[in-house]
Amino acid sequence: MHAHGIAALVTLLISVTFGIVASLQFLYPDLVAGASWLSWGRLRYAHTQGIMLGWLGNAFFAFLYHAVPVLSGRRVTSARLGWWLFALWNFAVMAPGWVLLLAGVSQPLEWAEFPPVIDAVVVAALLMSVVQFLPPLFTRGLEYLYVSSWYIIGGLVFTLLAYPMGNIVPEFVAGASGAAFSGLWIHDAVGLYVTPLALAIVYFVIPAATRRPIYSHFLSMLGFWLLFFLYPLNGTHHYVFSVIPMSAQIGAITASALLGVDVIIVVTNLLLSLRGSGAVPRDVGLRFVATGTVFYLIVSLQGSMQAQMAVNQTVHFTDWVVGHSHLAMLGFASFAAAGGLVHAWQRIGWARYNARLVDHAFWLLAAGVVVMVVDLTLAGLVQGRLWQSGAPWIESVQASRPYWMVRTLAAVPLAGGFIALLAGLTTGPRGGGLKAIEDSVGVEPVEEIAPRLAPMAGGAS
């Protein structure tokens, strides 16, 4: 767990650096003239793949090493398999993947930019993650599965199935059909990989930090099944007004609207579970998770709205969509991942922990995300209005420059927050995290996480 946590934060800072340099090129197009490996397209690929697989992938794995034994009362499958998974993910996927992307070896598919040779290793690593984390959850039967366990199972299984579809199949299917597969993956990457694993963290941390059960198990499971029934259908909304058959477009738009209803159900359940925790929870892991839950509601309703044709024709291809994606990955997903990482880290007796720096990290990240998303949303509305008015393209570029400047400046608190998070989890006294939770929620096993397994989880820890 510790190794994946450090790798998550290191790959995050590298990915953020790629993003900052790419954002500066909007303002200074000749900033890295002559250095093809630093060109905007290559940096953008390295940035997005780094956030999704480097930062979030490692953070999710780190949390699973804490959560699965608690939820199942069993150890993960194999320590040796864990080290193989760590090595493959970081030294056979991320490191060579970045080198190949910056060298110009990639495939031009959204959220699938790593070349096929890297994709093959990702699939192997995903299969290893299924073997590592899922058997313990099944040892006592389905009736013992807590809602977080369901999301872990769904996230790992569906990602293993969806990743080859979006990253490998389009290489062999030409034209609009291949684009349709790619479009499904654009959203499956978020909805069947990032979202369920982030929600697994949320559903775990809230009862652990509040020491109260989730408000409604029925609403939890309703939200789970609606997510996995609806999300595979909605990726085609990226191709509204395209040559994709209209029936597929309407199906995606309908699924997108229904997903908004699903998210309202899920977030209502989670916010009711947070009652009594205060507007700003004292426990910093819970604070990250609670803020990520609010971001989840906003970004999901925004996505349902922008899938509708009337809105789509205005905001598509604008910075509105860029703001939307940053709210999803740096808002909802990253806050959930950071909350899960902090929650688990506090419970490692020998790990260093600096409570003040972690607290500073939260506020810096919250400020950076809000400024960046609001700025890009406004930029998108300005761009869409100018495009629809028939104004020359260059006018939209000129009008966007102040917003692009603010977007780059917003990276300062974001980078500062992530640096503070890394420092907070690598400096300070050993066992400082245990001291922090002893003073707040306590370190005893929380029965509400997995009622029938709490005594076993306590013994396993």
Side-chain angles (χ1 to χ4, degrees):
M1 176 200 149
H2 190 269
H4 274 293
I6 296 298
L9 293 166
V10 170
T11 52
L12 170 61
L13 291 178
I14 295 171
S15 302
V16 168
T17 301
F18 290 148
I20 292 172
V21 176
S23 75
L24 285 170
Q25 292 183 36
F26 281 94
L27 301 167
Y28 309 103
D30 297 325
L31 180 66
V32 291
S36 59
W37 65 281
L38 289 177
S39 60
W40 186 88
R42 298 184 189 183
L43 285 174
R44 193 263 186 179
Y45 284 0
H47 171 66
T48 56
Q49 291 290 81
I51 292 295
M52 181 175 70
L53 298 178
W55 154 234
L56 293 176
N58 273 301
F60 290 152
F61 288 148
F63 183 77
L64 291 180
Y65 278 108
H66 170 75
V68 169
V70 173
L71 293 167
S72 66
R74 299 286 189 274
R75 296 180 182 274
V76 296
T77 299
S78 166
R80 178 175 295 180
L81 179 63
W83 283 113
W84 274 104
L85 175 59
F86 174 81
L88 277 180
W89 199 261
N90 291 285
F91 301 112
V93 172
M94 292 312 306
W98 270 337
V99 170
L100 289 171
L101 289 181
L102 296 177
V105 182
S106 62
Q107 55 182 358
L109 299 173
E110 189 77 5
W111 288 114
E113 293 89 356
F114 277 159
V117 63
I118 300 297
D119 292 333
V121 182
V122 173
V123 173
L126 290 173
L127 181 59
M128 291 170 64
S129 73
V130 168
V131 174
Q132 178 76 323
F133 298 114
L134 296 195
L137 295 176
F138 289 119
T139 54
R140 293 175 62 86
L142 296 180
E143 68 274 14
Y144 284 85
L145 291 178
Y146 178 66
V147 61
S148 184
S149 307
W150 281 102
Y151 276 104
I152 292 169
I153 295 166
L156 293 180
V157 171
F158 272 82
T159 303
L160 179 61
L161 298 174
Y163 191 92
M165 176 201 68
N167 291 260
I168 298 173
V169 169
E171 289 281 344
F172 303 97
V173 180
S177 298
F181 279 105
S182 179
L184 291 175
W185 168 248
I186 291 172
H187 252 61
D188 286 355
V190 178
L192 301 182
Y193 165 59
V194 171
T195 296
L197 293 177
L199 286 177
I201 293 174
V202 174
Y203 273 109
F204 186 101
V205 171
I206 287 178
T210 63
R211 307 196 73 80
R212 292 191 303 274
I214 291 294
Y215 177 76
S216 168
H217 185 74
F218 170 76
L219 292 180
S220 301
M221 295 312 300
L222 178 62
F224 170 85
W225 288 111
L226 283 175
L227 174 73
F228 283 96
F229 272 115
L230 293 172
Y231 222 111
L233 303 174
N234 81 341
T236 309
H237 73 210
H238 285 269
Y239 297 109
V240 172
F241 299 113
S242 74
V243 297
I244 302 294
M246 184 55 66
S247 58
Q249 296 182 41
I250 295 299
I253 293 169
T254 303
S256 301
L258 292 174
L259 273 170
V261 177
D262 177 38
V263 171
I264 291 173
I265 293 171
V266 170
V267 173
T268 299
N269 191 30
L270 293 171
L271 293 181
L272 288 171
S273 304
L274 284 163
R275 289 178 302 173
S277 302
V280 181
R282 180 182 175 186
D283 181 82
V284 68
L286 180 63
R287 194 187 313 157
F288 269 111
V289 163
T291 306
T293 300
V294 174
F295 286 151
Y296 179 48
L297 175 64
I298 297 171
V299 74
S300 299
L301 294 181
Q302 185 187 47
S304 296
M305 179 177 65
Q306 70 192 45
Q308 307 307 307
M309 286 186 169
V311 179
N312 187 277
Q313 64 182 351
T314 299
V315 303
H316 199 46
F317 296 122
T318 72
D319 280 342
W320 167 297
V321 180
V322 181
H324 172 69
S325 63
H326 278 78
L327 183 56
M329 301 298 279
L330 290 183
F332 161 55
S334 290
F335 271 69
L341 202 57
V342 168
H343 177 88
W345 212 268
Q346 290 175 329
R347 287 153 178 82
I348 303 176
W350 51 265
R352 296 188 180 276
Y353 184 81
N354 188 317
R356 178 173 295 183
L357 284 176
V358 175
D359 186 67
H360 291 337
F362 170 82
W363 292 110
L364 286 168
L365 291 171
V369 167
V370 169
V371 171
M372 178 177 286
V373 172
V374 170
D375 171 71
L376 289 170
T377 300
L378 293 174
L381 293 173
V382 170
Q383 293 161 353
R385 179 182 61 82
L386 288 172
W387 296 349
Q388 288 197 319
S389 72
W393 172 265
I394 193 62
E395 287 191 21
S396 69
V397 175
Q398 293 166 344
S400 299
R401 286 186 63 83
Y403 297 98
W404 291 340
M405 177 67 75
V406 173
R407 187 258 296 275
T408 299
L409 293 175
V412 174
L414 281 171
F418 287 131
I419 291 170
L421 184 60
L422 174 60
L425 299 183
T426 53
T427 65
R430 294 190 183 277
L434 286 174
K435 181 64 171 64
I437 59 176
E438 284 173 356
D439 295 339
S440 57
V441 301
V443 296
E444 300 84 1
V446 180
E447 185 178 356
E448 286 79 4
I449 294 178
R452 301 183 182 95
L453 300 174
M456 294 180 60
S461 62

